[in-house]
Amino acid sequence: MKQLGIASFTARGGQVADRLAGAFGKEYEIIRYDRGLKDWCGCLFAGGADGIVFVGACGIAVRTIAPFLKSKTTDPAVIVIDEAGQFVISLLSGHIGGANRLAERAAVILGATPVITTATDVNGKFAVDVFASDNHLRIRDMHAAKEVSAAILRGERVGVYCEGEIEGCVPPELLLLKKDDQKVNQKLSQMDDAPRPNHTIPEIGALICVGVPSCELSFYAVENAADVGWNQAGTELTLRVPVLPPVILDLYPKSYIIGIGCRKRKTEAEIAFPVNQALASWGLSVEDCAGVASIDLKKEEPGLLEFCGKRNLHFETYSAETLAEVKGEFSHSAFVSQVTGVDNVCERAALCMAGEGGRLILKKQAENGVTVALAERKWKVRF
């Protein structure tokens, strides 16, 4: 289960914290602050908590989290609420970490005003990092992500080329490039080997490649959409635009789930070794994975928690009853069945987390009291 830390420092603030804990308790494991604020906060950062709520002054929150900050791609969501419950401030990891949404949800619970300062939200624009987070996509280059956001905020359109299924309505800031548009693809794919031609996609300020290497497409950004011409004579396409440095953002799907079973007191290193072996056998790394799944008997297993926390992997556990209902052909172990109540943990847990349309790609691999299986989610993109 996801973890949410909640800290309050006064009796009035404690009442606000109680309301939030009650509302979020079904979705999150609530970890309340008791004593040793910095140690409490450090454990939440190290353990891969999904969010931290401070009911008190912003200064307390800032000074507390400062020593633990690493990256906007890994830091948890942090929000601050005044003890009267009037304002909910998204302080850290507004997009990727989900602090903006957490702040908005907390504001609804408390009847408070959410305070959101990220530029794309303030201007009501598409946010590529939120899109990536929602769709379990890995951002290869955060600098390119910033350039994409800057192009959108300048009023330029951004091209999107996707592999896989697409659901929902494409935002007006984006122009979807269809993979069956062979002429456009041919024009673009020629640009890597040819001298830099004055070609680009019409009225586009950047290009997002989802699930496909950018070497198959090239894009050259334009300063002004009005500079771009797009003419069609019969079936022949003619493109013209000044050539500028490329702005390409690659987003790769985190399509894989790691199912893990282990004996008690297995260390992080003992767990990491067979997991890395399993991933390597498929040419994968932990960056390609959306999370780790196991049985609820292991939800407090220190080695598993450390393994997931170090790699910023979401950790989900399921009851034996839930795992037993997963359909499929699984490796059977009488010993595992006797101890856990289900014949297989790693395979069933991986497939359970993969969800509808998921498939098992690597059956149980056992190593020194640790079992590992891999499942693949059915990949699709939703706007």
Side-chain angles (χ1 to χ4, degrees):
M1 180 178 284
K2 297 185 290 185
Q3 291 184 334
L4 181 68
I6 303 179
S8 59
F9 313 102
T10 65
R12 192 178 186 188
Q15 294 175 354
V16 172
D18 289 342
R19 291 174 63 187
L20 292 175
F24 284 122
K26 292 182 180 179
E27 179 181 351
Y28 294 93
E29 176 189 357
I30 304 298
I31 302 175
R32 295 289 291 266
Y33 160 65
D34 183 15
R35 59 177 63 88
L37 184 60
K38 285 197 173 180
D39 289 341
W40 173 84
C41 184
C43 288
L44 289 172
F45 268 79
D50 295 273
I52 304 175
V53 180
F54 290 89
V55 183
C58 273
I60 295 175
V62 170
R63 290 185 178 89
T64 302
I65 67 175
F68 310 111
L69 301 182
K70 292 182 180 178
S71 165
K72 68 181 296 181
T73 61
T74 59
D75 292 337
V78 178
I79 66 173
V80 180
I81 306 172
D82 66 282
E83 68 170 36
Q86 298 179 93
F87 300 98
V88 183
I89 304 167
S90 175
L91 185 68
L92 182 73
S93 295
H95 284 165
I96 296 176
N100 289 356
R101 288 182 178 172
L102 184 63
E104 289 169 348
R105 292 180 61 192
V108 170
I109 293 166
L110 300 173
T113 301
V115 181
I116 310 295
T117 59
T118 42
T120 49
D121 295 87
V122 171
N123 289 280
K125 299 290 187 180
F126 171 81
V128 67
D129 41 6
V130 173
F131 170 74
S133 179
D134 289 347
N135 287 282
H136 303 288
L137 298 167
R138 174 163 55 99
I139 299 176
R140 183 175 182 179
D141 184 348
M142 287 306 300
H143 176 73
K146 291 179 182 178
E147 292 296 317
V148 166
S149 294
I152 289 173
L153 290 170
R154 288 194 301 267
E156 300 171 10
R157 295 186 76 186
V158 168
V160 180
Y161 185 97
C162 296
E163 292 286 335
E165 296 180 17
I166 298 173
E167 294 182 349
C169 297
V170 178
E173 300 94 330
L174 306 181
L175 178 63
L176 184 63
L177 308 181
K178 297 180 181 180
K179 56 186 175 183
D180 59 356
D181 193 342
Q182 295 181 357
K183 285 190 174 293
V184 173
N185 291 339
Q186 288 170 2
K187 287 282 186 181
L188 294 172
S189 63
Q190 292 168 0
M191 295 172 67
D192 282 331
D193 298 325
R196 298 304 190 195
N198 293 335
H199 292 169
T200 191
I201 304 160
E203 301 183 17
I204 294 179
L207 174 64
I208 303 172
C209 293
V210 185
V212 59
S214 63
C215 60
E216 295 184 13
L217 297 171
S218 295
F219 168 72
Y220 297 88
V222 297
E223 292 181 340
N224 190 330
D227 292 336
V228 184
W230 175 271
N231 300 313
Q232 184 169 356
T235 59
E236 186 65 26
L237 298 175
T238 302
L239 311 178
R240 56 181 174 79
V241 72
V243 177
L244 294 174
V247 179
I248 302 176
L249 174 62
D250 291 323
L251 301 178
Y252 294 106
K254 297 181 178 181
S255 301
Y256 302 95
I257 304 297
I258 308 168
I260 300 179
C262 66
R263 294 178 182 171
K264 290 182 179 180
R265 294 180 291 278
K266 284 295 174 181
T267 66
E268 181 271 335
E270 289 174 319
I271 292 169
F273 181 76
V275 169
N276 290 336
Q277 279 192 319
L279 291 171
S281 71
W282 273 78
L284 302 172
S285 72
V286 291
E287 291 184 330
D288 299 306
C289 301
V292 171
S294 190
I295 193 167
D296 58 5
L297 294 174
K298 298 298 176 182
K299 67 180 180 180
E300 301 293 341
E301 190 68 40
L304 267 174
L305 293 175
E306 185 180 357
F307 173 83
C308 295
K310 279 186 174 181
R311 294 157 181 82
N312 197 37
L313 287 168
H314 177 64
F315 182 42
E316 192 75 42
T317 60
Y318 304 91
S319 67
E321 293 76 16
T322 299
L323 294 180
E325 292 175 358
V326 179
K327 298 186 183 302
E329 296 183 3
F330 304 103
S331 306
H332 176 81
S333 169
F335 174 76
V336 171
S337 183
Q338 181 181 2
V339 173
T340 67
V342 66
D343 60 352
N344 182 292
V345 169
C346 63
E347 293 176 1
R348 289 180 177 273
L351 204 54
C352 191
M353 190 173 180
E356 185 178 355
R359 66 187 185 100
L360 200 64
I361 63 169
L362 182 68
K363 295 183 75 67
K364 181 177 76 174
Q365 307 291 302
E367 175 75 29
N368 190 26
V370 179
T371 60
V372 180
L374 300 177
E376 183 181 19
R377 284 178 164 174
K378 182 180 180 181
W379 181 56
K380 58 185 176 182
V381 169
R382 182 169 181 82
F383 287 98

